[in-house]
Amino acid sequence: MRNTVLSYLLLPLFTSVSLSLSAAPQPIENPELTAVVEQQVVKLDLNTADVTTLQTRLSGIGKTKAEAIVAYREEHGAFATVDELLEIKGIGKALLDRNRDKLTVN
């Protein structure tokens, strides 16, 4: 009898929780809003960025690599392409690919 009473009390509780979870509103994706957010991402220009900016905005780039990027730019002139970063010691394809969508050259 004790189990029967518990089941009568718990069954409505579990049912109400289940129904409330399934009735919860689903997030609505707005493609126009997503496009606006994606457009707001400003790419970092390799030809104008300073050491601090490179260091803070790029993944896997510390102070030493940021300084190497600026030194390379000062020695060889402006970057023609983002791929030119591969010429810098310590920057490989994986690191470049991780940051490619954040970079541009103007």
Side-chain angles (χ1 to χ4, degrees), residues 21-57:
L21 289 177
S22 65
Q26 299 296 321
I28 299 171
E29 288 193 31
N30 183 345
E32 293 173 3
L33 181 59
T34 304
V36 170
V37 171
E38 289 175 0
Q39 289 175 359
Q40 290 177 353
V41 176
V42 177
K43 291 190 174 193
L44 181 63
D45 186 0
L46 282 175
N47 293 322
T48 59
D50 62 354
V51 173
T52 306
T53 306
L54 290 166
Q55 185 178 338
T56 56
R57 299 258 321 263

Side-chain angles (χ1 to χ4, degrees), residues 40-90:
Q40 290 177 353
V41 176
V42 177
K43 291 190 174 193
L44 181 63
D45 186 0
L46 282 175
N47 293 322
T48 59
D50 62 354
V51 173
T52 306
T53 306
L54 290 166
Q55 185 178 338
T56 56
R57 299 258 321 263
L58 299 178
S59 174
I61 301 292
K63 183 178 180 182
T64 304
K65 288 181 185 169
E67 289 173 346
I69 292 170
V70 172
Y72 182 90
R73 182 176 67 209
E74 290 172 354
E75 185 177 328
H76 296 94
F79 287 95
T81 66
V82 173
D83 290 325
E84 201 172 336
L85 280 176
L86 294 173
E87 300 295 322
I88 300 170
K89 184 178 179 179

